[in-house]
């Protein structure tokens, strides 16, 4: 699995953080992840990177997060 990459150091507003938190929480519930587990941390990083790249829609962030989860599951050794 690829290492986590550094995320830009930009301040996010309370509105931004609330939006990201809702998406993160929804993905953790859907996927059955502990919020402090490795898959959740990877998704948090991916969501922040995607958000900073301009994807600020909760719906699109959920879609991107689900696609990322599918890729991770597909790439995991069995």
């Amino acid at each position: 699995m690829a290492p986590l990459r550094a995320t830009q150091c930009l301040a996010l507003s309370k509105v931004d953080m609330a939006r990201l938190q809702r998406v993160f929480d929804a993905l953790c519930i859907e996927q059955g992840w502990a919020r402090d587990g490795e898959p959740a941390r990877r998704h948090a990083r991916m969501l922040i990177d995607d958000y900073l790249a301009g994807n600020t829609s909760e719906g699109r962030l959920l879609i991107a997060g689900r696609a990322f989860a599918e890729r991770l599951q597909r790439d995991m050794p069995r």
Side-chain angles (χ1 to χ4, degrees):
M1 184 167 294
L4 295 174
R5 65 182 188 276
T7 301
Q8 293 176 318
C9 289
L10 294 176
L12 295 172
S13 72
K14 287 182 181 182
V15 172
D16 295 328
M17 290 302 296
R19 185 175 297 138
L20 286 164
Q21 187 69 57
R22 284 190 297 272
V23 173
F24 175 79
D25 289 342
L27 287 168
C28 286
I29 291 168
E30 285 178 12
Q31 300 295 323
W33 298 326
R35 289 175 46 143
D36 61 348
E38 181 63 23
R41 283 194 299 273
R42 286 189 173 276
H43 272 71
R45 178 68 51 88
M46 185 276 319
L47 290 170
I48 292 168
D49 287 346
D50 212 35
Y51 195 87
L52 292 174
N55 182 9
T56 59
S57 162
E58 283 186 50
R60 288 193 307 264
L61 285 166
L62 271 170
I63 291 167
R66 289 172 182 147
F68 189 72
E70 287 178 21
R71 282 194 308 275
L72 285 180
Q73 289 174 354
R74 211 175 37 240
D75 295 343
M76 287 178 60
R78 298 190 186 242

